Amino acid sequence: MKKNYFFKAFVGVLFGLMVSCDNTTDDPINQNNTGNNNEPTITGPRVLNKVMSGTVTSEEYITSSGAISQVILRDFATTNSTTATVTYTGDKISKIKYIDNQNPHVIDNEYNITYTNGRMSAIALQQNLGSVINRSDFTVNYDPSGVLYRVEEKKKMGGSTNYTHYAEYKFTFSASNVVRVEHTTMLMNGSNPDPTTASKTNYAYENYDNKINPYTTLSKEYFIVTGILFPVNFNMISSNNAGKVTVQNPAGAVISYPKTYLYDSQNYPTSDQGQSTKYIYKAL
């Protein structure tokens, strides 16, 4: 139900990157600010503004005082794009609406977020696919120390009033970095998941550096929701940058892709080693 172009646009940063190295460079004008040669190098607080894949802006984060208002995800091979519009209640994200530029829409998802004691605790999804409406209820769980532990999803597919499908995202952290996500799906049997129908995909994130993950300059809640769309991207909520991502699907070969980075003197990634992917920041 999700077109390949959206996957390419958003996780393209993960592909085509070679061996992970820790190389610190001078602050390049075109990489750690808005990209204009006349602008001074950013040395203080910043937020991620764009991710460039070659000459294409594959990710664009529109912010006000550091808060995301809109995100535009573009396919670097076509004119396809998806826009996420973010709504706040107070200083918390309360709704994210993803919609693509296709006719008919392939992605038309609205996520409404609930908080308990200041932490994301539940998400309600309405997915519009033409005349068909699918709904999901997510529960967000933490371990006793307050670390994200599991996100559970119960789905009502095809307009059903009963839950028909179940999914679970189970997290393993090392310090403040996600090192493993187990994504399990199964059918519902009445009010309970049916483990005899289970299918699991595992994601592993290794070889973390000790530098700043550019996505941590933006809302963690936004990237938890984005991870629900594309679990391979759950490393975006880590504090540091993964040097290797491995995907084990239910069938087929294990897929691994190394990641590389160049950094500025403030410990922010500015690009991959080949400089085909660039991270551009906005000063606060």
Side-chain angles (χ1 to χ4, degrees), residues 12 41 90 143 161 182 200 212:
T41 297
D143 69 14
T161 57
E182 299 171 55
K200 181 186 289 188
I212 299 168

Side-chain angles (χ1 to χ4, degrees), residues 183-204:
H183 180 207
T184 305
T185 61
M186 61 190 84
L187 298 175
M188 294 289 288
N189 182 2
S191 59
N192 297 307
D194 180 358
T196 66
T197 65
S199 177
K200 181 186 289 188
T201 301
N202 293 322
Y203 303 89

Side-chain angles (χ1 to χ4, degrees), residues 199-202 247-255:
S199 177
K200 181 186 289 188
T201 301
N202 293 322
V247 181
Q248 174 65 72
N249 290 301
V254 174
I255 302 169

